[in-house]
Amino acid sequence: MKISTITAIIISSLSWQALANSHGAGQDEHALTTSFMYQGKPATAATKAYNQAFAQGLNFEDNQAFIEGRAQLIAPLDAATSALLADAYQFIGDTVPDTINPSLYRQAQMNNEAYGLYQVNDKIFQIRGTDLANMSLVRSDHGWIVFDPLTTREAAKASLAFALKHLPYGNNDPVVGMVYSHSHADHFGGSRGVQDMFPDVTVYGSADITKEMVDENVLAGNVMSRRTSYQYGATMVPSDTTIVDAALSNGIAKGEITYVLPDHEVNQQDKFEVVTIDGLEVIFMDASGTEAVSESVAYIPSLKTIWAAEVTYKGMHNVYTLRGAKVRDALKWSKEINNMLQQWGGEAQFLFSAHSSPIWGNDDIVDFLKLQRDNYGFVHNQSLRLANNGVVLQDIGWEIEKVLPKSIKDAWHTNGYHGTYSHNARAVYNMYLGFFDMNPANLNPLPTQAEAAKFVEYMGGADAVLTRAKADFAKGEYHFVATALNKVVTHNPSNNDARSLLADTYEQLGYQAEGAGWRNIYLSGAQELRIGRQPGALKSASADVISEMPISSLLDFLAIQIDSIKAQDYQFEINLVLPDTGEIYVVELANGNLSNAKIAKPKANVDATLTIHQADIVKLNLKQITLTELLKSKAATIKGDDAFLTIIPKVMVPFDPAFEIVPLPSGEVIEANRAKFMQPPKPIAHNNRLHGHD
């Protein structure tokens, strides 16, 4: 009997991406491993002028967010816990650097002040400043309930240990419950860390969270991980010329993303579900289709407290997230905030969320929710108004900013740090009308390489484009310079003069950007144009996350790795039987496609039947057992023709975890640029973190 079964192939294919990240596979051979850090160039005169003018329109007298952020601090982070994230951002001080949009810098200052254990009310506490999200602890009858266990196992463990040490009471009591607000990794990724400390914890999740987590983090996990490294500046060391903030917090903690299957998922059929967790009544409201496809908010009646999850935070969120995800429904988002307001706004005295600091007092809570509601309503309604008047996809982001009401413009917590009005308006357009604007020229454009070649030819050659680009760059007209030079570099990646000026252009656009994601994407592009791909991105499709996936999702993930041309000459049909779960699947390779279907009983006349326990698939994936051991012990068996065993390796193509986004430089260019852009880390000036930008 051959020891390579289809299940082993599934497991190895799923584990490949996580292993590639840990061993550096797919990274550029010139990626730096020294202690030197990437540093960008100074701001140009045009960028300095742009940022100074931008600051004139900002209401710096409103410092309410700083007051709320500083309130009720119980204990600042100790050295070990602070090292998870906060220490990297100690360069953030009182003076706005020329290289950072002043509005974004204020957000970075506010986020940088989150650095410890805070009290929301007598029974709710938060750890802020250790990761992208907050970890919240709510008191129940016999212990604590963790709301959102952060991104990584390491961050969750350290944060929870710090909280239990410094809580004003209940320090030795267990965590009895854990709630995932929604299907994004910074809200479930640390779950195994909590379970490591409290194995009996009961887990609650939003409706269909596992399916939606799989769709976003695994089926599109490879491309999304690569894109995420751009959006969050994951390959850059924080500084005033690189990443300065991640909008929701300063940044993301490093470590292992994990997932513990929920014991209970919120009922999506009924809008509200009352769940009692260790004696504490929690009213969950399904808010799926807002910030995440699977999401719930909650109300705790005994505490008059709204848990807003990530449906609100102190900034505008993404209707379309730049890393790539299912487009959100801005109208539904607005309506769900209105539901929260109508249901609980009359009596709520506390509001806490997965990001940002809490809000106290009914009047402030109502005002906050109304502005948040109307901001997403504005994006939806005005985008469609503009579209219905013929404004096309490429223009709508520019046009919506012209019609922004003063009340929304003046409120800091509606600003575009995570989502921007520009790309959110385009998201609304895309949701209703798709990518095509009905201009025939945009219906079937040439592939990018061929289009770039013709563009450069029409412009009179690369030298002519570069001459014009230099002149426009000197005038600070960066947007079209970026468009034109991207064509030149796409056509000829070895044109180092064009590459260098394109990197400079992206850099200045990044320095001007108010949105954290925009800044990080521009600056990541500039970095890769100069010194190539760098390691550092988190992988959402980790072995632990994959171990909790249902077998149907594992099979779906295997199917998207099949090369249809290679597979078109092969076919097989097998039964896959899982005795411990009682599930049976028929798996068929035909017409270059691998399909699966859940069936009631094994199908007759198939090529083979593979029998293996779901629990053993998990053990295989976590490397707790070998396939040889399973076959030897008869825990896994194959009956029938095993010829299919040799087919899968022939037709499966693994993903490249470091695929090209911008045209990459040669080794010679990388070596030449290291002296210019790689410098020893600057000494950290430890600013007073409670002295914010008032």
Side-chain angles (χ1 to χ4, degrees), residues 44-66:
T44 62
T47 290
K48 291 177 184 179
Y50 177 92
N51 284 339
Q52 289 167 3
F54 197 97
Q56 298 306 309
L58 300 174
N59 182 19
F60 285 112
E61 293 181 1
D62 178 4
N63 66 348
Q64 182 64 25
F66 287 97

Side-chain angles (χ1 to χ4, degrees), residues 290-343:
T290 56
E291 190 271 334
V293 182
S294 169
E295 184 144 8
S296 61
V297 297
Y299 186 65
I300 306 173
S302 63
L303 303 179
K304 294 187 177 181
T305 299
I306 295 173
W307 161 244
E310 202 169 333
V311 174
T312 68
Y313 94 104
K314 292 179 181 176
M316 179 170 58
H317 218 297
N318 288 303
V319 177
Y320 163 75
T321 183
L322 299 168
R323 63 187 165 86
K326 297 177 181 178
V327 173
R328 291 98 185 246
D329 186 337
L331 179 59
K332 188 175 193 300
W333 201 327
S334 177
K335 287 180 177 294
E336 296 297 8
I337 295 174
N338 206 22
N339 282 334
M340 295 164 60
L341 185 62
Q342 302 307 321
Q343 289 289 325

Side-chain angles (χ1 to χ4, degrees), residues 18-198:
L19 290 172
N21 187 51
S22 64
H23 292 289
Q27 298 292 350
D28 193 282
E29 62 178 322
H30 299 283
L32 298 178
T33 57
T34 71
S35 61
F36 282 59
M37 60 184 284
Y38 172 84
Q39 291 279 320
K41 292 183 176 181
T44 62
T47 290
K48 291 177 184 179
Y50 177 92
N51 284 339
Q52 289 167 3
F54 197 97
Q56 298 306 309
L58 300 174
N59 182 19
F60 285 112
E61 293 181 1
D62 178 4
N63 66 348
Q64 182 64 25
F66 287 97
I67 294 171
E68 292 168 343
R70 296 165 186 165
Q72 305 292 338
L73 174 66
I74 294 175
L77 298 179
D78 56 29
T81 314
S82 182
L84 288 167
L85 180 66
D87 282 351
Y89 294 88
Q90 283 295 310
F91 70 92
I92 297 172
D94 294 331
T95 303
V96 182
D98 294 330
T99 53
I100 303 171
N101 179 287
S103 180
L104 177 60
Y105 198 69
R106 181 189 183 277
Q107 183 77 355
Q109 290 172 318
M110 185 184 74
N111 284 333
N112 194 49
E113 290 200 2
Y115 73 115
L117 176 67
Y118 296 82
Q119 184 167 346
V120 180
N121 57 35
D122 289 345
K123 292 189 175 181
I124 302 176
F125 303 85
Q126 283 189 321
I127 289 284
R128 302 202 296 271
T130 60
D131 200 352
L132 189 65
N134 304 326
M135 175 187 282
S136 301
L137 292 98
V138 179
R139 184 66 187 179
S140 60
D141 283 357
H142 303 98
W144 299 96
I145 305 166
V146 168
F147 279 66
D148 286 350
L150 307 181
T151 311
T152 68
R153 190 178 207 151
E154 294 81 356
K157 270 189 173 182
S159 299
L160 182 55
F162 179 83
L164 292 174
K165 179 180 178 181
H166 293 284
L167 284 166
Y169 62 90
N171 310 81
N172 296 316
D173 293 337
V175 172
V176 296
M178 181 162 53
V179 176
Y180 306 149
S181 62
H182 63 288
S183 51
H184 295 156
D186 52 318
H187 303 270
F188 63 74
S191 55
R192 195 72 67 182
V194 176
Q195 190 189 58
D196 288 343
M197 298 172 69
F198 298 99

Side-chain angles (χ1 to χ4, degrees), residues 267-401:
N267 185 356
Q268 197 173 29
Q269 305 307 314
D270 300 320
K271 188 66 179 174
F272 299 91
E273 181 181 4
V274 179
V275 178
T276 300
I277 305 175
D278 187 39
L280 183 71
E281 182 182 287
V282 181
I283 303 173
F284 287 100
M285 185 185 95
D286 180 59
S288 298
T290 56
E291 190 271 334
V293 182
S294 169
E295 184 144 8
S296 61
V297 297
Y299 186 65
I300 306 173
S302 63
L303 303 179
K304 294 187 177 181
T305 299
I306 295 173
W307 161 244
E310 202 169 333
V311 174
T312 68
Y313 94 104
K314 292 179 181 176
M316 179 170 58
H317 218 297
N318 288 303
V319 177
Y320 163 75
T321 183
L322 299 168
R323 63 187 165 86
K326 297 177 181 178
V327 173
R328 291 98 185 246
D329 186 337
L331 179 59
K332 188 175 193 300
W333 201 327
S334 177
K335 287 180 177 294
E336 296 297 8
I337 295 174
N338 206 22
N339 282 334
M340 295 164 60
L341 185 62
Q342 302 307 321
Q343 289 289 325
W344 307 318
E347 66 176 27
Q349 296 298 323
F350 307 93
L351 183 149
F352 72 115
S353 303
H355 301 280
S356 305
S357 55
I359 298 173
W360 291 270
N362 185 258
D363 289 345
D364 285 348
I365 290 170
V366 169
D367 289 346
F368 175 79
L369 289 177
K370 283 184 177 180
L371 266 170
Q372 288 277 309
R373 173 199 65 190
D374 294 338
N375 200 31
Y376 295 106
F378 161 80
V379 169
H380 176 272
N381 297 336
Q382 295 306 306
S383 296
L384 282 184
R385 182 182 68 82
L386 292 167
N388 276 308
N389 280 289
V391 179
V392 296
L393 180 63
Q394 186 169 336
D395 299 344
I396 202 165
W398 295 93
E399 292 300 315
I400 196 168
E401 293 185 352

Side-chain angles (χ1 to χ4, degrees), residues 422-574:
S422 176
H423 74 257
N424 280 347
R426 283 177 278 170
V428 174
Y429 187 104
N430 181 67
M431 180 178 176
Y432 283 91
L433 300 167
F435 73 92
F436 180 45
D437 60 6
M438 205 49 69
N439 185 326
N442 299 325
L443 181 59
N444 190 30
L446 287 172
T448 53
Q449 288 280 351
E451 182 186 62
K454 296 301 293 184
F455 184 100
V456 173
E457 178 187 338
Y458 271 50
M459 290 285 285
D463 290 344
V465 177
L466 191 56
T467 298
R468 292 182 175 91
K470 287 178 179 178
D472 282 349
F473 182 91
K475 293 184 289 186
E477 298 177 1
Y478 301 127
H479 288 92
F480 191 74
V481 172
T483 299
L485 289 179
N486 179 61
K487 302 293 187 185
V488 176
V489 177
T490 298
H491 172 52
N492 180 13
S494 298
N495 189 324
N496 292 328
D497 289 339
R499 171 186 297 283
S500 177
L501 187 56
L502 180 57
D504 293 349
T505 304
Y506 285 160
E507 190 167 61
Q508 298 304 316
L509 287 169
Y511 292 166
Q512 295 180 13
E514 181 182 26
W518 283 37
R519 175 185 176 89
N520 296 337
I521 288 168
Y522 280 130
L523 298 186
S524 293
Q527 176 185 252
E528 289 197 355
L529 283 168
R530 290 167 173 161
I531 62 170
R533 293 169 292 198
Q534 300 300 304
L538 285 171
K539 293 294 181 182
S540 56
S542 67
D544 190 84
V545 170
I546 292 165
S547 72
E548 299 289 20
M549 290 169 57
I551 192 65
S552 60
S553 295
L554 289 167
L555 292 168
D556 289 342
F557 187 67
L558 177 60
I560 65 174
Q561 297 176 80
I562 300 298
D563 185 316
S564 57
I565 297 300
K566 292 182 177 181
Q568 65 183 344
D569 296 326
Y570 299 96
Q571 62 182 31
F572 63 74
E573 187 177 27
I574 67 167

